[in-house]
Amino acid sequence: MRKSVITLLALFLCLSAVLAQNDVFTGKVTDDKNTPVPYATIKVKGTKTGVAADGQGSFSIPAKAGDVLIISATGFTDKEVTIGTEKTLAISLGENNATLSEVVVTALGIKREKRMLTYSTQEVKGATVIDAKQDNIVNALSGKVSGVQITNSSGQPGSSAQIVIRGNSSLTGNNTALFVVDGIPIDNGEAGNPDGPLGAGGTSNRGIDIDPNIIESITVLKGAAATALYGANASRGAIIITTKNGRGGVSGKPTISVSSSYMVQTPLTPKLQHTWAQGSGGVYVDGNNGEFGSTSWGPKMDTLKVNGQPVKKHDPFKDFFKTGHTTDNNVSVSGFGDKSSYVTSYSFLKNDGIVPTTYYTRNSFFAKYSINFSPKVSLTTQFNYVHSDNRRTLDGNSLESPLWTVLSAPISWDPFPTTNPDGTQRVYRLARNNPYWLLDNTGLKDKVDRILPAINFSYKPLSWLTITERFGADMYYNSTDYHEAIGTVGSYPTGRVYSRAITYQQFNNDLIVDAQKTFNNDWFTELLIGNNILTNYNDNRFDQGVGLNVPNFYNISNASTVTSSYAYYKTRKIGFYAQANMEYKKMLTLGLTGRYDGSSVLSTDNQFYPYGSASAGFIFTEPLKMSDNPILNFGKIRAAYSSVGNDAVGPYSLTNPYYQASIGNISFPFNGQNGYLLTTQYGYPLKNELVKEFEVGLELQFLQNRISFDGAYFSKKSVDLLTSGVPLDGATGFASASENAGSMRNRGVEITLSAIPVKSKNFNWNITVNFTKIKNEVLELAPGVPYLQFAGFVNPGIFAYANSPYGVIYGTHFKRNDAGEMLLDDDGYPQRDDNLGPIGNATPDWLGGLTNEFTYKNFSLSFVLDMKHGGQIMNLDGHYLDFYGVSKITEDRDGSKVFPGIIESTGKPNTTAVPTDQSFYQNLWSNIDETSLQDASYLKLRQATLAYRFSNETLKGSFFKSITLNVTATNFILHKNYFGADPEVSLNGSGNGQGFANFMTPTSKNILFGLKATF
């Protein structure tokens, strides 16, 4: 009995000792700005006990009072903390520039140390996005990220922009990058104009709804290895947007920030001729006094008189466009404490465009609140509401486009008054509208109300295990209204109205289990598993009325003929995913991802498909102990391979529904009877596309991180591409089908080079250069499909051909021999080839960007240069303006030219000069598409900002914490070979058919004055 008591007492004492040693201390690691430091390492000095903090810097570790903790994190100076009696620790680390390495947000909103990543990413800070001063956040990234091509569509307020990462990877599907805000995918699509882009231009892409003032950072995930966890939508790359969290300033005290800016926009004008008047063959046609004529091949203006008085010269372009104005105002309130943080923001943007009557306004409200209920439970809720209102005129190849008349109008014509005494339009030719009349009697209004709520709940039952439930939605209502008055020259002279309503709802849910563990202080492992459910509802209604009974009453009840259409789409994707990461001594990293997706738009047998990636990185300077080397202090090589699926086909593509019929000129309903026809396109059983990508990269840092290099090579092949319009034998009852056919390859090099040439107490200079070169090739199309068309006419147009780059410009061209020499006729004139063919390509040879930042005491100067080299654009304005005698090239119409080439009949070089007169331009030159093909290269000053920040000494004693004044210039073209205003345009909006322009609103160069204050 006595032995038993002694044994129990010994066990009790041992258990007490163990319990005393196993007290759990919790804490949070932050930097000197109170921002969390993710994945810091916390060790008990003199033992093997150690843990890693989570993505928010929180940790828990078994220890006892008196132990010393060693806290380390890449980019920060190590710190030792002695544990006292408090069980909750607050630890602040100071930055160490010698080992500085940024933390970036990756897929699913997970934060990683950039030095440990095994794939290519690039981060853009929120302040840089704000400094870009762009209404559309896509344009704010121009020139700043390698591997990314951005194309603005038009100079109208609220215009769309396209962003493509590492080239086009789908033939007919969406090629723009996926947008993700705080882990929630959102829509960046463009509804487009109901009349189509060719005759009406584009609308806004939904990325324009994002207010730059709420952005903390943007991370661009370039390769499929980086985006595999996001599933099919991210096979084309991803833009990861992280919003502000309210931290910064002084704990427990709110920070109020107010900013305001005013921008002046001056239109960029193309060069037109200003010598010759309206007429033909040198004979004047007086469009001001009831005569009609379409061309400007009349007499010289300086010799022209009517009733003895000189005819006033006009500049139709400069007279029509006005100076645009943009105001952008924001107010935000933020704060944080030990357990919570919050931020609220309201912004109002108003852009009055360079085209009279056009404008874009955006009201944006954002609120975010985060709270830690305990060391184990945290919750973040946020809500974003956006209301935008966009008034546009039509761009493109339609008579209702004011630009058609503005660009082609004779300089002798006075457009005022816009109406004749009988109330009809006053025009200089019968087949065109008066542009000022169009402003008053036509117009498109586009309104959007959008909400983006999100909830993120995190539970940490163990120090190494985190369970996250994340739910988010993207819901908007987009209404589009258009009207044309009675008397409009075009397809609807009796007037028309239409109304389109789009109700869009997307719901995203992720359940994520993330386990992280450190073993023996050398191995860090992470296993993440999750489930994603993405559901999309799209409700589209369109009503059109033609033939208005009462003038100027634009209500569909006033129309003689009313037609309507309705479409409802529902899609769902379910995904199961996993990711494993292993790190050894912070120098060797292995990453594996896998995902199993199910998509409702694919055939039943192929709805579920697996894919994944494998990647590795090795910091070779660690085993060589070179971190303190004065020359090369960091070096990493990385490699990744991925295979990612993509369901790039619209909903219900496998079904064969009936649709409201149109037969010849007869549209149903007809004579009170409705009629329907079976769709002419058959849907074969379809499976997913597959994108296979290999990537290798090299990262180097020299002179203690004063110089950084990041280079990558990638090869990406897309197979089983979903293709619509594959022709079928008419005996089947269908004209075409959708098939898995075709393949495409992108190979490229991306380079980012950063340097700090000067770093001193008063003066600093940072410079970043990026370079991108991508070679794209369409390897094959579906059997029986010679080409796919994306934009334009049958000729000219933008196409895809096998064994050619994506975006071939196809049309008529000069006749040439096998050596490429022009074959001329006996008189020395070029000849038009009887066959159509490729004449150019919209894909650039390479892209580059240069960012410079200078700071001297309280002054700062920064600028971004953006360059595109190579690629062409079909500027169809040239065809029309050459024919009308308005283009600059037609100004020298009394001259002559010797065309280089070979006389076809003799085989001898040409030496004969031919007159470049009206007959030449109208009968030959303007009828060949090749003459409108122009170089799309440019060098632009994207932005240049000069700012002054008032010193703390100046503000001492006031209630202001900071005041900054700035002047910014944007979109100044420094070099171009393009004959139009700006080669960075696209009539097809953000769609695949880039490289086509026709009667589009030009862009503008802008000067902005801004003020920002916090208190």
Side-chain angles (χ1 to χ4, degrees), residues 266-418:
T266 305
L268 295 167
T269 59
K271 293 181 179 180
L272 304 177
Q273 70 91 4
H274 293 281
T275 303
W276 306 92
Q278 183 180 4
S280 180
V283 178
Y284 179 55
V285 172
D286 192 353
N288 295 318
N289 291 291
E291 297 182 359
F292 300 102
S294 63
T295 65
S296 293
W297 294 101
K300 284 189 174 182
M301 284 293 298
D302 57 9
T303 66
L304 182 61
K305 292 184 179 182
V306 174
N307 297 326
Q309 298 297 319
V311 176
K312 182 181 178 182
K313 182 189 292 187
H314 296 268
D315 188 330
F317 196 95
K318 291 185 177 180
D319 291 346
F320 180 78
F321 292 98
K322 65 184 183 69
T323 300
H325 306 276
T326 299
T327 56
D328 187 4
N329 299 289
N330 170 262
V331 58
S332 67
V333 181
S334 60
F336 68 96
D338 293 338
K339 295 184 177 181
S340 64
S341 64
Y342 65 90
V343 58
T344 60
S345 172
Y346 170 73
S347 294
F348 175 69
L349 172 78
K350 188 175 192 300
N351 179 356
D352 291 315
I354 58 176
V355 175
T357 75
T358 63
Y359 59 81
Y360 174 77
T361 64
R362 182 181 65 212
N363 290 269
S364 177
F365 173 77
F366 176 76
K368 186 176 186 178
Y369 178 70
S370 300
I371 183 171
N372 296 324
F373 294 105
S374 71
K376 295 184 177 182
V377 181
S378 63
L379 175 70
T380 298
T381 60
Q382 62 190 65
F383 179 81
N384 192 190
Y385 168 71
V386 180
H387 171 78
S388 64
D389 193 349
N390 190 195
R391 208 280 188 185
R392 309 172 64 89
T393 57
L394 299 187
D395 281 336
N397 196 287
S398 74
L399 300 185
E400 295 82 1
S401 168
L403 270 296
W404 194 324
T405 310
V406 170
L407 284 173
S408 59
I411 59 175
S412 58
W413 179 58
D414 185 351
F416 294 102
T418 61

Side-chain angles (χ1 to χ4, degrees), residues 612-869:
S613 68
S615 57
F618 175 52
I619 303 177
F620 57 83
T621 50
E622 286 295 311
L624 298 176
K625 301 187 183 302
M626 297 177 64
S627 60
D628 295 325
N629 187 285
I631 306 298
L632 174 64
N633 58 281
F634 178 84
K636 180 176 76 172
I637 55 174
R638 60 175 192 264
Y641 178 80
S642 57
S643 178
V644 178
N646 185 18
D647 56 347
V649 66
Y652 313 117
S653 295
L654 309 182
T655 61
N656 302 115
Y658 285 87
Y659 65 95
Q660 200 165 45
S662 293
I663 304 175
N665 295 326
I666 300 175
S667 297
F668 287 85
F670 181 73
N671 288 339
Q673 297 293 321
N674 219 335
Y676 297 88
L677 289 174
L678 188 69
T679 180
T680 59
Q681 181 160 297
Y682 180 74
Y684 279 110
L686 299 176
K687 63 180 181 179
N688 61 285
E689 297 181 347
L690 199 62
V691 180
K692 302 177 181 179
E693 183 173 8
F694 172 71
E695 173 189 335
V696 292
L698 174 66
E699 297 176 39
L700 302 172
Q701 293 183 5
F702 302 90
L703 307 179
Q704 295 300 299
N705 299 336
R706 293 284 290 270
I707 300 176
S708 299
F709 171 88
D710 189 337
Y713 167 81
F714 67 89
S715 178
K716 179 169 63 172
K717 185 178 181 181
S718 307
V719 299
D720 293 327
L721 295 178
L722 291 157
T723 307
S724 59
V726 179
L728 291 178
D729 189 327
T732 63
F734 297 92
S736 60
S738 297
E739 293 184 15
N740 284 102
S743 60
M744 185 160 47
R745 178 186 288 121
N746 287 278
R747 292 172 175 167
V749 176
E750 303 163 349
I751 296 174
T752 302
L753 179 64
S754 300
I756 307 175
V758 180
K759 187 173 184 180
S760 64
K761 180 180 179 180
N762 292 325
F763 181 71
N764 292 299
W765 175 20
N766 296 333
I767 184 171
T768 301
V769 179
N770 65 72
F771 172 83
T772 304
K773 183 176 178 60
I774 299 175
K775 182 180 180 181
N776 171 275
E777 184 179 12
V778 177
L779 301 176
E780 60 179 342
L781 298 175
V785 178
Y787 58 80
L788 295 172
Q789 184 171 6
F790 307 123
F793 303 91
V794 174
N795 69 282
I798 311 299
F799 296 81
Y801 285 85
N803 303 313
S804 299
Y806 191 91
V808 168
I809 303 175
Y810 188 84
T812 57
H813 54 89
F814 291 116
K815 195 173 185 179
R816 288 183 169 85
N817 59 21
D818 293 340
E821 298 172 305
M822 279 200 297
L823 297 176
L824 311 177
D825 65 15
D826 291 343
D827 294 325
Y829 283 102
Q831 301 179 93
R832 172 173 167 169
D833 199 301
D834 294 333
N835 300 311
L836 302 175
I839 57 177
N841 189 268
T843 304
D845 295 332
W846 54 267
L847 306 169
L850 170 67
T851 301
N852 266 291
E853 297 176 348
F854 304 91
T855 59
Y856 175 70
K857 294 185 177 180
N858 297 327
F859 287 94
S860 64
L861 172 65
S862 64
F863 64 86
V864 178
L865 295 176
D866 184 17
M867 185 172 185
K868 180 170 78 169
H869 179 75

Side-chain angles (χ1 to χ4, degrees), residues 41-43 47-51 518-523 585:
T41 300
I42 301 93
K43 301 178 181 178
T47 72
K48 293 184 178 182
T49 302
V51 298
T518 300
F519 298 96
N520 299 325
N521 297 328
D522 291 333
W523 288 92
K585 289 189 174 181

